[in-house]
Amino acid sequence: MIRVFGRLRKFFAARPDGAGQAPPHPENRQHNIFEAAAVYVSACAEDDERRSDEAAGWVSPEALSFGVNELACRALIALARERDESPHSVARTLLGLPAA
């Protein structure tokens, strides 16, 4: 009886479609560009170099750049709406630039 269960376990573990296998460990899963950008930017804001380096390794530099750009645009729009100002004026204020 024990041999039967052992063979079944081996059979399911060896299936090419991955059926019967345990899900991947959380550290081994794929990250998307927006998740990487969120972790990267928040880590930079908190001066957490270890976490920002880790997030930068999850995706290609180009994908991270795209994700950071998208996050910046969304954050700027949200902040502009909250302040009832234009995104342009909020961006200049955040960067310490004089009003245009």
Side-chain angles (χ1 to χ4, degrees):
M1 185 65 105
I2 294 173
R3 282 187 190 168
V4 172
F5 287 118
R7 287 181 184 163
L8 285 173
R9 188 173 349 117
K10 285 181 184 178
F11 170 77
F12 284 111
R15 294 200 36 199
D17 63 358
Q21 293 182 359
H25 196 271
E27 283 93 32
N28 296 334
R29 68 181 179 82
Q30 294 290 325
H31 298 275
N32 71 45
I33 60 175
F34 299 116
E35 180 180 20
V39 171
Y40 179 81
V41 171
S42 64
C44 288
E46 296 169 351
D47 202 25
D48 186 343
E49 189 174 339
R50 182 197 60 78
R51 205 168 51 136
S52 66
D53 288 346
E54 179 184 351
W58 292 347
V59 295
S60 72
E62 296 82 10
L64 183 61
S65 177
F66 176 81
V68 168
N69 183 64
E70 186 65 23
L71 177 60
C73 289
R74 292 180 187 195
L76 188 60
I77 290 168
L79 191 54
R81 286 179 182 160
E82 184 178 290
R83 293 181 177 186
D84 197 27
E85 297 178 28
S86 74
H88 180 77
S89 67
V90 172
R92 294 187 67 82
T93 299
L94 290 173
L95 293 171
L97 300 172

